[in-house]
Amino acid sequence: MIKKVGIVGLGQMGSGITQVAAQAGFALLATDAGEEIISRGIKNITKQLDKAIEKGKLDPAGKEKILGDIKTTTELHDFADCDLVIEAITENMTAKKEIFSELDKICKPETILASNTSSLPIGDLASVTKRRDRFVGLHFFNPVPVMKLVEVVKTLDTSDETYSAAFEFAKAVGKSPVRAKDTPGFIVNVLLIPYLLDAIRQYENGLASREDIDNGMMLGCGHPMGPLTLTDFIGLDTTLYIADVFFEEFKDSHYAAPPLLRRMVNAGYLGKKSGRGFYEYIK
Ligand code: 3HC
């Protein structure tokens, strides 16, 4: 029975997962690399809860209850009694493996470990632990409080018991989970990322203006965001990282990053988070 949930990483994804899990009544323990990043994550959650109050979807007492259920720490050792720990740090295999290796030693035997990775093999992350059967992928989408999907990823070793506990957890936080295999990009990113890369390639080749490409897909296909805006939203660095993982895996030009994307990332144009991507953003 999952009651206490640990979150490692309080960036955009981790703070979103913390928020939805606390809103669903779970006890949360969250950490990141240092007090400053932790307080930024909590500030983001507070901002989202304040917006919900403004819209009449939450009352001030509800906000205090949710924030009261979120404890933070700078010590991974405090995660020992969590029933589920979800890692949501940046996409770096070595860093993630270090965290899982530590968590495996610290957490009680029943604790389920999960990664929110968008592109790294879950089985590779599980391999540094002695609990491969209690290891699963829980891939949320951005912005977490809004997007209904969670891909629940089963590795070759994930036990049925672990998988169904993770699946039920995703439902309990108000999401609609889908069953995904441990293949690169799971279901959504293996379809989404080539589409974004094609849009960038077409833009680079002069097919149309950025606005017309985006409006074309929004107004012609009913997408909430055009592909260039969506790439800015996901992060150009994240998109490039995923494309490189896919290309390495499939060796298929379909997944090759367009030169423009790499040039922009190298120039520090990371999208919305850096203030400039295909569009400019006021920070
Ligand atoms: N956090 C929390 N809530 C947010 C939010 C955020 N960052 N951004 C918007 N919202 C909420 C708003 O408060 C609003 O809530 P309400 O309905 O209760 O009033 C609702 O979302 C709609 O927001 P807006 O009216 O301000 O703006 P839009 O209607 O343009 O919606 C959007 C914004 C939800 C981001 C929409 O444009 C959208 O769905 N875009 C596509 C996002 C997408 O495709 N995400 C997946 C990316 S891929 C991924 O995450 C996988 C990874 O591995 C790469």
Side-chain angles (χ1 to χ4, degrees):
M1 180 84 176
I2 295 171
K3 286 187 180 159
K4 184 171 177 181
V5 180
I7 307 285
V8 182
L10 264 178
Q12 213 172 23
M13 298 304 287
S15 58
I17 300 168
T18 302
Q19 181 190 330
V20 296
Q23 277 175 316
F26 291 93
L28 269 297
L29 179 66
T31 189
D32 206 318
E35 296 284 3
E36 203 184 314
I37 309 179
I38 292 174
S39 66
R40 207 184 307 147
I42 298 298
K43 218 183 265 174
N44 283 338
I45 295 171
T46 309
K47 211 163 91 184
Q48 294 302 330
L49 297 177
D50 285 337
K51 274 193 198 163
I53 292 178
E54 271 170 37
K55 289 178 194 161
K57 293 181 174 176
L58 186 71
D59 58 28
K63 171 186 159 185
E64 291 317 314
K65 162 92 176 69
I66 292 164
L67 289 177
D69 285 343
I70 303 173
K71 306 278 181 266
T72 62
T73 177
T74 51
E75 294 296 327
L76 223 43
H77 275 100
D78 294 335
F79 283 69
D81 64 344
C82 288
D83 303 305
L84 166 70
V85 181
I86 306 173
E87 165 277 315
I89 67 165
T90 48
E91 295 290 80
N92 179 315
M93 180 63 103
T94 310
K96 284 180 193 277
K97 278 185 170 174
E98 269 171 30
I99 283 169
F100 282 121
S101 169
E102 281 298 299
L103 285 171
D104 187 40
K105 287 178 210 131
I106 292 165
C107 294
K108 60 184 179 179
E110 313 85 64
T111 305
I112 295 174
L113 300 182
S115 176
N116 179 57
T117 182
S118 50
S119 56
L120 299 171
I122 305 294
D124 288 13
L125 297 172
S127 71
V128 299
T129 73
K130 291 190 176 70
R131 58 178 88 206
R132 294 178 189 208
D133 56 327
R134 272 154 294 132
F135 205 109
V136 69
L138 275 172
H139 184 216
F140 288 77
F141 290 77
N142 189 18
V144 177
V146 181
M147 307 310 284
K148 295 294 286 180
L149 190 75
V150 176
E151 290 174 316
V152 186
V153 185
K154 195 175 197 306
T155 73
L156 296 174
D157 296 310
T158 309
S159 71
D160 289 346
E161 196 186 348
T162 299
Y163 192 78
S164 79
F167 205 84
E168 290 309 313
F169 170 76
K171 283 202 228 167
V173 299
K175 302 300 178 193
S176 302
V178 291
R179 292 166 201 282
K181 291 178 188 159
D182 192 15
T183 51
F186 314 128
I187 299 170
V188 173
N189 279 340
V190 79
L191 297 172
L192 175 67
I193 298 296
Y195 156 66
L196 300 181
L197 300 178
D198 273 344
I200 298 166
R201 234 184 308 274
Q202 295 295 356
Y203 174 58
E204 190 174 17
N205 291 341
L207 176 78
S209 69
R210 58 188 183 177
E211 289 83 2
D212 284 350
I213 290 175
D214 276 349
N215 281 332
M217 295 312 292
M218 284 171 69
L219 306 178
C221 295
H223 292 186
M225 281 177 170
L228 301 176
T229 305
L230 182 54
T231 307
D232 277 356
F233 183 69
I234 292 172
L236 273 65
D237 52 342
T238 305
T239 306
L240 177 62
Y241 187 88
I242 300 173
D244 284 346
V245 168
F246 287 177
F247 188 73
E248 183 61 31
E249 181 83 18
F250 300 118
K251 305 282 190 298
D252 179 338
S253 61
H254 195 48
Y255 301 100
L260 176 63
L261 176 62
R262 201 174 298 279
R263 274 207 309 281
M264 290 176 76
V265 171
N266 289 343
Y269 302 162
L270 307 183
K272 198 171 174 196
K273 63 184 165 192
S274 74
R276 184 164 174 185
F278 293 99
Y279 298 88
E280 281 93 54
Y281 301 86
I282 300 153
K283 289 249 263 179

